[in-house]
Amino acid sequence: MSNRFSCGTLGLAALLSLAGFSAGAAQSGTSPDDNCTAIEGWFPHDQTPEPDSANFTPDSACSFHRWSWQMFLWLTQEVDGKPRFLSFQSPYTLLDLDNRSSMLPRLEKSASPRALDEYLQAGTEGIMIDQNGRSLYYSQYLNDTFISFIQDQKLLDPEVVRQFNPQTPFPVDTLELKASWKVVMPGENTDGFFTMPSSVYKLVNRDGAIVVDDTQPIDATLALVGFHIGGVVKDHPEMIWATFEHKDNAPDVPATFDADTLISDRDWTFYKANTPYSGCNINPAKSVELKLDEASQTLSPITQICRRYAFGNDPNQTTQSVPTNIADVKRLNSSVLSQLSGEDVWSNYFQVGAIWFAPGATLEPNMTLATDTEDGKQLLTGSLKLSNAAVETFTQSQSTMNNCFRCHNTLQRFPPTTSLDPLPGLNLNISHAFVNLYFWSQELAQQKKAGTN
Amino acid sequence: MSNSIFRIHPAINFGRVGNSDDFYLAPETAAGEVLDKTSGLFGGLPIQPGTEDRPIDAQALRDASQNVVRQAARYRIFTYSAEQHSYPSEDPGREIKVGDCIDGKTVTDIVWTVHLANKKNNNFKITSGNGQEEGIEAYQDNATPPLRNPSYGNSLGDATRRTRLVIDAGPRAIRATDSAQRVIAFSADSPCSYSDANGAIQPLPDYPVSFPGDHFQNLNPELGCIKSLGDLRIEAGTGRLIVAGGFGEAFSFVDADGKKPTLENAIDNDGWFDDVADGPVDAMILFDDGSAVSATGAWFVSTDPAYAPQTRNVVSTWDDVFSTWVEELALIPSLFSNGEYNPDYQASFNQDILPVFHGAFLQRWNTNLPAQGVQGHNWVAAIKPSDDPKAKIPNFQSLIRDPNASEEDSQGVKMPLALGDAQKSFLSLTRTQYFLMMQWYNGKSLESGAPLGAGEKLDRVVLENCLGGRYSPGIDLTFIVRDINLYQQPWQGVTGPLRINRKPLNYAATTRSQPFLDVGYVPLRSTPVEPGDLSKFMSQPWHTDYNSCAVHTPDPNPSANNTLYWSWPAQRPVQVHPVDACTFDAQRKAWNLGGQVFSIRGDGEGAENLTHTNLPQNEGRYQRYIDFMHNWHKTGFIIQGSQIADGQGGDYGSDKFLEVASLYSANGDIVQPWPTSVTPTKSDA
């Protein structure tokens, strides 16, 4: 296990020495950074430059949060009448499909918004049900670097993947994104939300489960409520994982609470006033209580969201091995938001936090990333309890799932059905888009062979 | 004189309590074993009484009054032509019955004797004085945990304690040729008797039978009064013995100072009896020349109901017993000798590997495993003997916890992902299981190993259906199964393996004024085993432990893991799929699986439901132990859908294991997919 640290430590020490920082005071940081504010050149929003991931040279934890904010601003810049990220391709693009089967997400090759069909939260198959009884929907986006890497390395061939060097990481500049969307009801006030006309697939009761019917897209206006960024920067093949939310999503759980604590006395987008903590973040996915009314497309019971860790760290944290960066994130948020125009819809979103590998920790195959430390050394740093309340609603509290790396690890993966082959433990498994592509490509090959596609 | 050797099989068998007088027979197939590849029927199902091996269906779990049917243990006698010096026995043996000819003589009768007792109250606590559950470690260096019921004396040998705190029903004998189809109860009003060395049944009018009501006033009569520990009878037409256990009753009594007991501990509650029991099963075989030969004896244990008989524990009692016998008692020298496993040993895929994978595969029916976990288990369960292990599991060591690497005890991502043994955070395979798995993974395996004879198969199957690995204290038996002092040694020769180191019981010396049973077996000591000595290490009473053991955080929990894991879901289902939640697909003519509820979910809505809690760490149980004492018999059972008639001329399908026969009227708290986590309480603040 110790080799995960030794190689990276040398390289980083040299880098930091050149930069004039000691390793101890650099990436991990020993106290909140009073200067963790926005960079002047980011504004106005329409001129935010793309972050220089290839030359990423962190001088504190704040550097990672800054990269995250700058990336968010760049991705949300309007290009050809829509935010830049909407022009990115979906993982399904890589599979070159025109229509999805019952098992495969639909491909939309055209630039027009495609129907959203993801409604289960990662990891727990949880359905997040908003105050109107509608499911949240999710969409994924990959940048050209990601796409090109997969294509150049021929990683849509499962056999190539199985023989691929497990140590090979994604290249710098790789980006994968995930957005969560709320269905806007007629007459519903969407001031302050980024919205877009789109479509979602109808949910139906089938075979004892609630599934999408990909033959029945429904026109809908969608409002963005959550946004994930995973990106590779220099010396961080594990990616910086950052997440953003709309400011009105849900109330924060106080530092001290119990099951009976009333989390807020006002309504939020995903919270009814005076709901106690015990009523928050309940995932009914396996319960007999989960119901879908197909006609109205409403589900029950409604999910009351409480944001368990306001800025991705535990305010009660007593150990200082990883100083809380809550103050950094709050200061940076305040700085950025104060410099965005009040007319800019993106000024209503904030960074929850970001997480990355601690100095010396090196991405390797078969890492579980189940704990923040390994062999007594810090493995993860930054926002150690980072969840997006509108993307990972149901896994905010569990120490086994309460940050991005708990699931974004490099372990082997078993396939969803026994007719497929498993995925060995690779550094590339850090990306769930890659993992999904590996299995989808096998399913696609089987379907083509069977003549069903 | 006969040259043949006789042994009773299974060496240990289990009755299970129920509040019905009716019974079915303990399973004689192993949970997790596919019995019929066409129908997909799994083993582990109890047997319909009066049949050789017909598995029960959903209707058999409760009687006409909706009471829980008891599980009875069936014993047979096998004959072997020579002493045993290897395992499996070179001679597979054959079952004998009255009328069979052996060594030129005809069997005229078999006289069975069984002696049952409950010594839980005159034993040590499970929890050590330091507040920890230490398992067998608590008995190292001549130490012991504190006594239960200390107000009644400070020594287990104290005559007052042995008289008042032990339920001793005494022995009962019965002939295989008994034509009256009698049922002989282990009750105070049923006379004691035993078979002497000639096979004659001798009455024991002065045996010091002891029941709680003889000594104490029952403070909770609504929970029963414990007037019987069960009963025995002869199986019609076969002469086999059938022993059934108690009725799930409990009896509470004051301490020596007159103080009423509490019921606040999960496993050690002074002042409470239950009606489980255990004891020896003996047989004399009588021949037409007037001779009589004794069979190597067996043991009977009664314990909790089998709420999910077909769900195999990934680590079963068999796995612990087998590992102990392999490593310490030279059961299979070609596998382990001179302190080392043989690196050239060929594992058996069907006997050593597939049971582990099928155990994992079946956990979903008693837990809230998320889809990803279910898929992973489905994957390993589909591995075939002809598959390349490394193609199926690219990295074995990142998947399975190594029991030889203590640092992995606390790693909550490796399999098995359930709570661990005393002083261990997570469950591990036994060292023998792990070694055999690694042999398979490294290409050193056969499809099947040496077959067991029918008698030895029974010995194994019975223990495969019981819980292993996590003995804090467990459900059926506990950590004592890893103590070689529990077993008769040397096993080579007439005795054979897996026999309890029984104390010879001299019934001719009984007097009414003196308790017959003594201190008996103490772990890591060589004292032989008396009636009551196996079950006395279990929870007092069993109900509290059963109720408590839904989900917990690991203990110890060095990484401050707040995630909730299952204790022993194969034996104590936590989250289940009730049959009523299934929906019928008329087009496919098949049943769809529905959602989940907690197995223990009570009656009534919201706060009126006595199982309701706002704390995930307390879900799936009654919030007060006494309420489970009142309602344990309402808990439903999980069996394969093919055994559940759907009322439309078909069944629910062998691809599902569904809860049936629950008498709880509410859905209870919402079941969420794993993982769930602890919610802080005011006392944490």
Coordinates of all heavy atoms in Angstrom, one line a residue, chain B residues 602-662:
Chain B
G602 N -44.6 -4.9 13.4 CA -45.7 -4.6 14.3 C -47.0 -4.3 13.7 O -47.3 -4.7 12.6
D603 N -47.8 -3.7 14.6 CA -49.2 -3.4 14.2 C -49.5 -1.9 14.5 O -48.9 -1.3 15.4 CB -50.2 -4.3 15.0 CG -49.9 -5.8 14.9 OD1 -50.2 -6.3 13.8 OD2 -49.3 -6.3 15.8
G604 N -50.4 -1.4 13.7 CA -50.8 0.0 13.9 C -49.9 1.0 13.2 O -48.8 0.6 12.7
E605 N -50.3 2.2 13.1 CA -49.6 3.2 12.3 C -48.8 4.2 13.1 O -49.2 4.4 14.3 CB -50.6 4.0 11.4 CG -51.4 3.2 10.4 CD -50.5 2.4 9.5 OE1 -49.5 3.0 9.0 OE2 -50.7 1.2 9.3
G606 N -47.8 4.8 12.6 CA -47.0 5.8 13.2 C -46.5 5.4 14.6 O -46.1 4.3 14.8
A607 N -46.6 6.4 15.5 CA -46.1 6.2 16.8 C -46.8 5.1 17.6 O -46.3 4.5 18.6 CB -46.1 7.5 17.6
E608 N -48.0 4.7 17.1 CA -48.8 3.7 17.8 C -48.2 2.3 17.5 O -48.4 1.3 18.3 CB -50.2 3.7 17.3 CG -51.0 4.9 17.8 CD -52.5 4.8 17.4 OE1 -52.9 3.8 16.7 OE2 -53.2 5.7 17.8
N609 N -47.4 2.2 16.5 CA -46.8 1.0 16.1 C -45.5 0.8 17.1 O -44.7 1.7 17.1 CB -46.3 1.0 14.7 CG -45.8 -0.4 14.2 OD1 -45.0 -1.0 14.9 ND2 -46.3 -0.9 13.1
L610 N -45.5 -0.3 17.8 CA -44.4 -0.5 18.8 C -43.1 -0.7 18.2 O -42.1 -0.8 18.9 CB -44.8 -1.6 19.7 CG -46.1 -1.4 20.5 CD1 -46.5 -2.6 21.3 CD2 -46.0 -0.1 21.4
T611 N -43.0 -0.9 16.9 CA -41.7 -1.0 16.2 C -41.2 0.3 15.7 O -40.1 0.4 15.2 CB -41.7 -2.0 15.1 OG1 -42.5 -1.5 14.0 CG2 -42.3 -3.4 15.5
H612 N -42.1 1.3 15.7 CA -41.7 2.6 15.0 C -40.6 3.3 15.7 O -40.5 3.3 16.9 CB -42.9 3.5 15.0 CG -42.6 4.9 14.5 ND1 -42.2 5.2 13.2 CD2 -42.5 6.1 15.2 CE1 -42.0 6.5 13.1 NE2 -42.1 7.1 14.2
T613 N -39.7 3.9 14.9 CA -38.6 4.7 15.4 C -38.2 5.7 14.4 O -38.5 5.5 13.2 CB -37.4 3.8 15.7 OG1 -36.3 4.6 16.2 CG2 -36.9 3.0 14.5
N614 N -37.7 6.8 14.9 CA -37.1 7.8 14.0 C -35.6 7.6 13.8 O -34.9 8.4 13.1 CB -37.3 9.2 14.5 CG -38.7 9.7 14.4 OD1 -39.4 9.2 13.4 ND2 -39.2 10.5 15.3
L615 N -35.1 6.5 14.4 CA -33.6 6.3 14.3 C -33.4 5.0 13.5 O -33.8 3.9 13.8 CB -33.1 6.0 15.7 CG -33.3 7.2 16.7 CD1 -32.9 6.8 18.1 CD2 -32.6 8.4 16.3
P616 N -32.7 5.2 12.3 CA -32.4 4.0 11.5 C -31.7 2.9 12.2 O -31.9 1.7 11.9 CB -31.5 4.6 10.4 CG -31.9 6.1 10.3 CD -32.2 6.4 11.7
Q617 N -30.9 3.3 13.2 CA -30.2 2.2 14.0 C -31.1 1.3 14.8 O -30.7 0.3 15.3 CB -29.1 2.8 14.9 CG -29.6 3.8 15.9 CD -29.5 5.3 15.4 OE1 -29.9 5.5 14.2 NE2 -29.2 6.2 16.3
N618 N -32.3 1.8 15.0 CA -33.3 1.0 15.8 C -34.4 0.4 15.0 O -35.4 -0.1 15.5 CB -33.9 1.9 16.9 CG -32.9 2.2 17.9 OD1 -31.8 1.6 18.0 ND2 -33.2 3.3 18.7
E619 N -34.3 0.5 13.6 CA -35.4 0.0 12.8 C -35.5 -1.5 12.7 O -34.5 -2.2 13.0 CB -35.2 0.5 11.3 CG -35.5 2.0 11.2 CD -35.2 2.5 9.8 OE1 -34.4 1.9 9.1 OE2 -35.8 3.5 9.4
G620 N -36.7 -1.9 12.4 CA -36.9 -3.4 12.2 C -36.9 -4.2 13.4 O -36.6 -5.4 13.4
R621 N -37.3 -3.6 14.5 CA -37.4 -4.3 15.8 C -38.4 -3.6 16.7 O -38.8 -2.5 16.4 CB -36.1 -4.3 16.5 CG -35.6 -2.9 16.9 CD -34.2 -2.9 17.5 NE -33.2 -2.9 16.4 CZ -31.9 -2.6 16.6 NH1 -31.5 -2.3 17.8 NH2 -31.1 -2.6 15.6
Y622 N -38.9 -4.3 17.7 CA -39.7 -3.7 18.7 C -38.8 -2.8 19.5 O -37.6 -3.2 19.8 CB -40.4 -4.7 19.6 CG -41.7 -5.2 18.9 CD1 -41.6 -6.4 18.1 CD2 -42.9 -4.6 19.1 CE1 -42.8 -6.8 17.5 CE2 -44.0 -5.0 18.5 CZ -44.0 -6.2 17.7 OH -45.1 -6.6 17.0
Q623 N -39.3 -1.6 19.9 CA -38.4 -0.7 20.6 C -38.3 -1.1 22.1 O -37.4 -0.6 22.8 CB -39.0 0.7 20.5 CG -39.1 1.2 19.1 CD -37.8 1.1 18.3 OE1 -36.8 1.6 18.7 NE2 -37.8 0.3 17.2
R624 N -39.1 -2.0 22.6 CA -39.0 -2.5 23.9 C -39.0 -4.1 23.8 O -39.8 -4.6 23.1 CB -40.1 -2.1 24.9 CG -40.3 -0.6 25.1 CD -41.3 -0.3 26.2 NE -42.5 -1.1 26.0 CZ -43.3 -1.4 27.0 NH1 -43.1 -1.0 28.2 NH2 -44.4 -2.1 26.7
Y625 N -38.0 -4.7 24.5 CA -37.9 -6.1 24.3 C -39.2 -6.9 24.7 O -39.6 -7.9 24.1 CB -36.7 -6.7 25.2 CG -35.4 -6.2 24.7 CD1 -34.5 -5.5 25.5 CD2 -34.9 -6.6 23.4 CE1 -33.3 -5.1 25.0 CE2 -33.7 -6.3 23.0 CZ -32.9 -5.5 23.8 OH -31.6 -5.1 23.3
I626 N -39.9 -6.4 25.7 CA -41.0 -7.1 26.2 C -42.1 -7.2 25.1 O -42.9 -8.1 25.1 CB -41.6 -6.4 27.5 CG1 -42.7 -7.2 28.1 CG2 -42.1 -5.0 27.2 CD1 -42.2 -8.5 28.7
D627 N -42.1 -6.2 24.2 CA -43.1 -6.2 23.2 C -42.8 -7.3 22.2 O -43.8 -7.9 21.6 CB -43.2 -4.8 22.5 CG -43.8 -3.8 23.5 OD1 -44.7 -4.1 24.3 OD2 -43.3 -2.6 23.4
F628 N -41.6 -7.6 21.9 CA -41.3 -8.7 21.0 C -41.6 -10.0 21.7 O -42.0 -11.0 21.1 CB -39.8 -8.7 20.6 CG -39.5 -9.8 19.7 CD1 -40.0 -9.8 18.4 CD2 -38.7 -10.9 20.0 CE1 -39.7 -10.8 17.5 CE2 -38.4 -11.9 19.2 CZ -38.9 -11.9 17.9
M629 N -41.4 -10.1 23.0 CA -41.8 -11.3 23.8 C -43.2 -11.6 23.5 O -43.6 -12.8 23.4 CB -41.5 -11.1 25.3 CG -40.1 -10.7 25.7 SD -38.9 -12.1 25.5 CE -39.3 -13.0 27.0
H630 N -44.0 -10.6 23.4 CA -45.5 -10.8 23.2 C -45.8 -11.1 21.8 O -46.9 -11.6 21.5 CB -46.2 -9.5 23.7 CG -46.3 -9.4 25.2 ND1 -45.8 -8.3 25.8 CD2 -46.9 -10.1 26.1 CE1 -46.0 -8.4 27.1 NE2 -46.7 -9.5 27.3
N631 N -44.9 -10.7 20.9 CA -45.3 -10.7 19.4 C -44.4 -11.6 18.5 O -44.6 -11.6 17.3 CB -45.4 -9.3 18.9 CG -46.5 -8.5 19.5 OD1 -47.6 -8.7 19.1 ND2 -46.2 -7.6 20.4
W632 N -43.4 -12.2 19.1 CA -42.5 -13.0 18.3 C -43.1 -13.9 17.3 O -42.7 -14.1 16.1 CB -41.5 -13.7 19.1 CG -42.1 -14.9 19.9 CD1 -42.6 -14.8 21.2 CD2 -42.3 -16.2 19.5 NE1 -43.1 -16.0 21.5 CE2 -42.9 -16.9 20.5 CE3 -42.0 -16.9 18.3 CZ2 -43.3 -18.3 20.4 CZ3 -42.3 -18.2 18.2 CH2 -42.9 -18.9 19.3
H633 N -44.2 -14.5 17.7 CA -44.9 -15.5 16.9 C -45.6 -14.9 15.7 O -46.1 -15.7 14.9 CB -45.9 -16.3 17.8 CG -46.8 -15.4 18.6 ND1 -48.0 -15.0 18.0 CD2 -46.7 -14.9 19.8 CE1 -48.6 -14.2 18.9 NE2 -47.8 -14.1 20.0
K634 N -45.7 -13.6 15.6 CA -46.3 -13.0 14.5 C -45.4 -12.9 13.3 O -45.8 -12.6 12.1 CB -46.9 -11.6 14.8 CG -48.0 -11.6 15.8 CD -48.5 -10.2 16.0 CE -49.7 -10.1 17.0 NZ -50.1 -8.7 17.2
T635 N -44.1 -13.0 13.5 CA -43.1 -12.8 12.5 C -43.3 -13.8 11.4 O -43.5 -15.0 11.6 CB -41.7 -12.9 13.1 OG1 -41.6 -12.0 14.2 CG2 -40.6 -12.6 12.1
G636 N -43.2 -13.4 10.1 CA -43.4 -14.2 9.0 C -42.1 -15.0 8.6 O -41.0 -14.9 9.2
F637 N -42.2 -15.8 7.6 CA -41.2 -16.7 7.1 C -40.8 -16.5 5.7 O -41.7 -16.1 4.9 CB -41.6 -18.2 7.3 CG -42.0 -18.5 8.7 CD1 -43.2 -18.2 9.3 CD2 -41.0 -19.2 9.5 CE1 -43.5 -18.5 10.6 CE2 -41.3 -19.5 10.9 CZ -42.6 -19.2 11.4
I638 N -39.6 -16.7 5.3 CA -39.2 -16.5 3.9 C -38.9 -17.8 3.3 O -38.0 -18.5 3.8 CB -37.9 -15.6 3.9 CG1 -38.2 -14.1 4.3 CG2 -37.4 -15.5 2.4 CD1 -38.2 -13.9 5.8
I639 N -39.6 -18.1 2.3 CA -39.4 -19.4 1.6 C -39.5 -19.1 0.0 O -40.0 -18.1 -0.4 CB -40.3 -20.5 2.0 CG1 -41.8 -20.3 1.6 CG2 -40.2 -20.8 3.5 CD1 -42.7 -21.5 1.8
Q640 N -39.0 -20.1 -0.7 CA -39.0 -20.0 -2.1 C -40.4 -19.9 -2.7 O -41.3 -20.6 -2.3 CB -38.2 -21.2 -2.7 CG -37.6 -20.9 -4.1 CD -36.5 -21.9 -4.5 OE1 -36.3 -22.9 -3.7 NE2 -35.9 -21.7 -5.6
G641 N -40.5 -19.0 -3.8 CA -41.8 -18.8 -4.3 C -42.5 -20.0 -4.9 O -43.7 -20.1 -5.0
S642 N -41.7 -21.0 -5.3 CA -42.3 -22.2 -5.8 C -43.0 -23.0 -4.8 O -43.8 -23.9 -5.1 CB -41.2 -23.1 -6.4 OG -40.1 -23.3 -5.5
Q643 N -42.8 -22.7 -3.5 CA -43.5 -23.4 -2.4 C -44.7 -22.6 -1.9 O -45.3 -22.9 -0.9 CB -42.5 -23.6 -1.2 CG -41.3 -24.4 -1.6 CD -41.6 -25.7 -2.2 OE1 -41.4 -26.0 -3.4 NE2 -42.1 -26.6 -1.4
I644 N -45.0 -21.5 -2.7 CA -46.1 -20.7 -2.3 C -47.2 -20.7 -3.4 O -47.0 -20.2 -4.5 CB -45.7 -19.2 -2.1 CG1 -44.4 -19.2 -1.1 CG2 -46.8 -18.4 -1.5 CD1 -43.8 -17.8 -1.1
A645 N -48.3 -21.3 -3.0 CA -49.4 -21.3 -4.0 C -50.0 -19.9 -4.2 O -50.1 -19.2 -3.2 CB -50.5 -22.3 -3.5
D646 N -50.3 -19.6 -5.5 CA -50.8 -18.3 -5.7 C -52.3 -18.1 -5.8 O -52.8 -17.0 -6.2 CB -50.1 -17.7 -7.0 CG -50.5 -18.5 -8.3 OD1 -51.3 -19.4 -8.1 OD2 -50.1 -18.1 -9.4
G647 N -53.0 -19.2 -5.6 CA -54.4 -19.1 -5.6 C -55.0 -19.1 -7.0 O -56.2 -19.0 -7.2
Q648 N -54.1 -19.2 -8.0 CA -54.5 -19.3 -9.4 C -54.1 -20.5 -10.1 O -53.9 -20.5 -11.3 CB -54.0 -18.0 -10.2 CG -54.5 -16.7 -9.5 CD -54.0 -15.5 -10.4 OE1 -54.0 -15.5 -11.6 NE2 -53.6 -14.4 -9.7
G649 N -53.8 -21.5 -9.3 CA -53.3 -22.8 -9.8 C -51.8 -22.9 -10.1 O -51.3 -23.9 -10.6
G650 N -51.1 -21.8 -9.7 CA -49.7 -21.8 -9.9 C -49.0 -21.4 -8.6 O -49.5 -21.6 -7.5
D651 N -47.8 -20.9 -8.8 CA -47.0 -20.5 -7.6 C -46.3 -19.2 -8.0 O -46.4 -18.7 -9.1 CB -46.0 -21.6 -7.1 CG -45.1 -22.0 -8.2 OD1 -44.3 -21.1 -8.7 OD2 -45.0 -23.2 -8.5
Y652 N -45.5 -18.7 -7.0 CA -44.8 -17.4 -7.2 C -43.5 -17.5 -7.9 O -42.8 -16.5 -8.1 CB -44.7 -16.6 -5.9 CG -46.0 -16.1 -5.4 CD1 -46.9 -16.8 -4.7 CD2 -46.3 -14.7 -5.7 CE1 -48.2 -16.3 -4.3 CE2 -47.6 -14.2 -5.3 CZ -48.5 -15.0 -4.6 OH -49.7 -14.4 -4.3
G653 N -43.0 -18.7 -8.2 CA -41.8 -18.8 -9.0 C -40.6 -19.1 -8.1 O -40.4 -18.5 -7.1
S654 N -39.7 -19.9 -8.6 CA -38.5 -20.3 -7.8 C -37.5 -19.2 -7.9 O -36.5 -19.3 -7.2 CB -37.9 -21.6 -8.4 OG -37.5 -21.4 -9.7
D655 N -37.7 -18.2 -8.6 CA -36.7 -17.1 -8.7 C -36.9 -16.1 -7.6 O -36.1 -15.1 -7.5 CB -36.8 -16.3 -10.0 CG -38.2 -15.7 -10.3 OD1 -39.2 -16.2 -9.7 OD2 -38.2 -14.7 -11.0
K656 N -37.8 -16.3 -6.7 CA -38.0 -15.3 -5.6 C -38.1 -16.1 -4.3 O -38.5 -17.3 -4.2 CB -39.4 -14.6 -5.8 CG -39.6 -14.0 -7.1 CD -41.0 -13.4 -7.1 CE -41.5 -13.1 -8.6 NZ -41.7 -14.3 -9.3
F657 N -37.7 -15.4 -3.2 CA -37.9 -16.0 -1.9 C -38.7 -14.9 -1.1 O -38.2 -13.8 -0.9 CB -36.5 -16.2 -1.2 CG -35.7 -17.3 -1.8 CD1 -35.1 -17.2 -3.1 CD2 -35.6 -18.5 -1.2 CE1 -34.5 -18.3 -3.6 CE2 -34.9 -19.6 -1.7 CZ -34.4 -19.5 -3.0
L658 N -39.9 -15.3 -0.8 CA -40.9 -14.3 -0.3 C -41.3 -14.5 1.1 O -41.3 -15.7 1.6 CB -42.1 -14.3 -1.2 CG -41.8 -14.1 -2.7 CD1 -43.1 -14.4 -3.5 CD2 -41.3 -12.7 -3.0
E659 N -41.7 -13.5 1.8 CA -42.2 -13.6 3.2 C -43.7 -14.0 3.1 O -44.5 -13.4 2.4 CB -42.1 -12.3 3.9 CG -42.4 -12.5 5.4 CD -43.0 -11.2 6.0 OE1 -44.0 -10.6 5.4 OE2 -42.5 -10.7 7.0
V660 N -44.0 -15.1 3.9 CA -45.3 -15.6 4.0 C -45.6 -15.7 5.5 O -44.8 -15.7 6.3 CB -45.5 -16.9 3.3 CG1 -45.4 -16.8 1.8 CG2 -44.6 -18.0 3.9
A661 N -46.9 -15.8 5.7 CA -47.4 -16.2 7.1 C -47.1 -15.2 8.1 O -47.0 -15.5 9.3 CB -46.9 -17.6 7.5
S662 N -46.8 -13.9 7.8 CA -46.7 -12.9 8.8 C -48.0 -12.5 9.3 O -49.0 -12.3 8.6 CB -46.0 -11.6 8.2 OG -46.0 -10.6 9.1

